[in-house]
Amino acid sequence: MKAESRDSVRKSQSMRSRSGVVAAALQTVAFFGLVLMAIHAFAATENDAFERCARLGRGINLGNAMEMPRGRPLWEPQPEHLDLIKAAGFNSIRIPIRWSEYAATDAPFAIDPAWFTGVDTLVNAALDRKLAVVINVHHFNELMADPVGQHQRFLAIWNGIAEHYREFGPDLFFELLNEPHGKLRPQLWNELLSESLAVVRRSNPNRAVIVGTAPWGGVRGLKDLVMPEGDRNLILTVHYYEPYHFTHQGASWANKGADAWLGTTWDGTRNEQRAIRADFDQVAAWAKEHRRPVYLGEFGAYNKADMESRARWTDFVAREAEKRGMSWAYWEACSGYGAYDPKAGAWREPLLRALMPSATGR
Ligand code: BGC
């Protein structure tokens, strides 16, 4: 071999080894870069869930409208309602929706496009007014009665909703299921929530998703709730209606004997306060242990209770939630728990003051 070509071989060998060193160095840099990005992404998503939850702030449920049986809403939310809600200082609304009534009963369980159009109108009107919006799956009674038989349908409904809203901004939140109960026992719910979350994540990798407890979204279900550990963009939701005999007095749908509870007051005695604080402490402890933000998605007292007690209770519950950094949504706007009186065209002042003390100058 000529000297010249030996040199060029050596040169190319040394270039190879040098480029090997450079490649290794680049690989190391890339590796640590990826680790840093992963750490950052993890931290960012975790903070995002807290930030997203804070965005919900003080909210109100548009209950007894879109979750009622087909054609039988108790009232129909209009843009004017959203103006009133915004002007009162609320940050968000929660729209309970009975999707199951508008989804085919045979595979692929398509959702009626006309129903989507109606939901879109309301969602867009709220987002235009800078109100954050929670949409859920509400009153899916068939699922509670037959979780195995309705399993694929539930996943398909979520696939349909998630695909439909995939381009919407982060102020739209998904809540997987209102108050799992009946045969949808906690263990089964944990499995289903994880599966439905995976379906949502295919099209909405970054959306904040809200998940509640079984049975009935209550505090007592927390001990059984398992949220997928790796998904840090989740918000815990609980509902609060204690003492039940007070908040559901005269509520025929809640209990046949609910009329016997009429006249129950909530006076805010030390014991009454202590009981509520203990429940909220339990929620806060779970949230701290699992590093999840909390959204109190429903609380309210029915209009058969006296207004003074209702306002006192509402104020106390809202403040206890806020003290623990929780966002909330009052149950509800214009119906039996209504903070707003649609006939009089006015807020029920004691309830509004209880919900929004700073906005009403208290
Ligand atoms: C139900 C409503 C009920 C409310 C209070 C909600 O989760 O969907 O129908 O009025 O709880 O009981």
Side-chain angles (χ1 to χ4, degrees):
M1 193 188 277
K2 285 209 263 172
E4 205 184 77
S5 34
R6 263 203 315 271
D7 276 347
S8 71
V9 167
R10 235 181 279 137
K11 210 156 132 196
S12 82
Q13 273 170 349
S14 100
M15 268 169 68
R16 266 207 300 274
S17 70
R18 235 181 295 151
S19 67
V21 171
V22 171
L26 281 177
Q27 266 171 14
T28 314
V29 168
F31 173 75
F32 281 112
L34 278 176
V35 170
L36 281 176
M37 269 165 62
I39 290 170
H40 179 73
F42 179 77
T45 3
E46 186 149 324
N47 286 336
D48 279 354
F50 283 87
E51 222 171 81
R52 290 288 79 217
C53 186
R55 171 70 182 91
L56 292 171
R58 294 170 165 177
I60 192 158
N61 277 278
L62 303 192
N64 288 343
M66 302 186 94
E67 87 280 25
M68 296 301 283
R70 188 189 275 265
R72 286 196 281 135
L74 295 192
W75 65 290
E76 284 183 44
Q78 303 294 330
E80 302 82 81
H81 293 115
L82 300 174
D83 288 335
L84 288 162
I85 288 169
K86 180 73 186 173
F90 290 99
N91 311 105
S92 62
I93 56 167
R94 177 172 179 261
I95 315 176
I97 306 175
R98 196 187 283 240
W99 296 97
S100 51
E101 198 129 325
Y102 303 88
T105 46
D106 297 320
F109 310 109
I111 296 170
D112 179 357
W115 180 246
F116 264 130
T117 306
V119 177
D120 291 354
T121 305
L122 187 58
V123 168
N124 281 319
L127 293 175
D128 285 350
R129 287 162 176 76
K130 305 277 179 277
L131 287 164
V133 179
V134 176
I135 57 171
N136 73 353
V137 168
H138 208 98
H139 285 329
F140 192 167
N141 300 333
E142 308 94 303
L143 178 69
M144 312 301 174
D146 181 14
V148 175
Q150 293 290 323
H151 177 255
Q152 284 310 322
R153 191 157 173 257
F154 180 67
L155 297 183
I157 287 174
W158 264 118
N159 187 50
I161 301 170
E163 286 284 348
H164 186 86
Y165 292 107
R166 65 188 300 162
E167 301 298 339
F168 277 58
D171 274 357
L172 178 66
F173 296 67
F174 293 161
E175 180 184 322
L176 293 177
L177 184 66
N178 184 65
E179 301 188 349
H181 63 271
K183 293 196 176 146
L184 188 52
R185 302 218 194 285
Q187 174 63 34
L188 218 47
W189 170 230
N190 288 336
E191 288 166 22
L192 190 58
L193 81 85
S194 165
E195 279 179 79
S196 48
L197 181 64
V199 167
V200 167
R201 286 288 177 241
R202 290 202 299 249
S203 50
N204 293 255
N206 300 317
R207 190 170 305 286
V209 174
I210 301 172
V211 182
T213 59
W216 295 108
V219 176
R220 272 148 211 88
L222 276 174
K223 62 178 183 344
D224 296 320
L225 180 67
V226 180
M227 285 190 184
E229 187 53 36
D231 193 324
R232 301 314 302 169
N233 208 1
L234 302 179
I235 296 171
L236 168 72
T237 186
V238 286
H239 292 177
Y240 199 74
Y241 289 105
E242 301 298 332
Y244 199 68
H245 289 197
F246 165 65
T247 65
H248 280 72
Q249 56 190 287
S252 52
W253 73 91
N255 193 297
K256 279 203 198 88
D259 277 351
W261 309 337
L262 289 169
T264 310
T265 57
W266 195 82
D267 304 318
T269 63
R270 290 245 303 266
N271 279 347
E272 285 175 327
Q273 294 195 4
R274 199 177 296 141
I276 293 179
R277 284 207 187 97
D279 286 338
F280 276 77
D281 283 344
Q282 209 179 311
V283 178
W286 189 97
K288 187 167 179 226
E289 185 190 338
H290 297 271
R291 293 175 291 119
R292 303 289 189 184
V294 184
Y295 174 56
L296 174 64
E298 287 187 17
F299 69 104
Y302 192 34
N303 63 13
K304 299 280 170 76
D306 70 283
M307 183 52 99
E308 264 183 47
S309 292
R310 290 172 75 197
R312 199 180 292 123
W313 180 89
T314 302
D315 176 44
F316 187 76
V317 171
R319 301 297 85 75
E320 289 302 311
E322 287 170 0
K323 274 183 209 161
R324 292 163 181 80
M326 303 174 189
S327 299
W328 51 255
Y330 177 72
W331 184 268
E332 34 67 32
C334 281
S335 201
Y337 288 65
Y340 185 79
D341 179 351
K343 279 203 196 107
W347 290 99
R348 294 192 167 94
E349 280 301 325
L351 289 177
L352 185 62
R353 268 200 308 280
L355 291 168
M356 312 293 289
S358 48
T360 48
R362 206 177 77 175

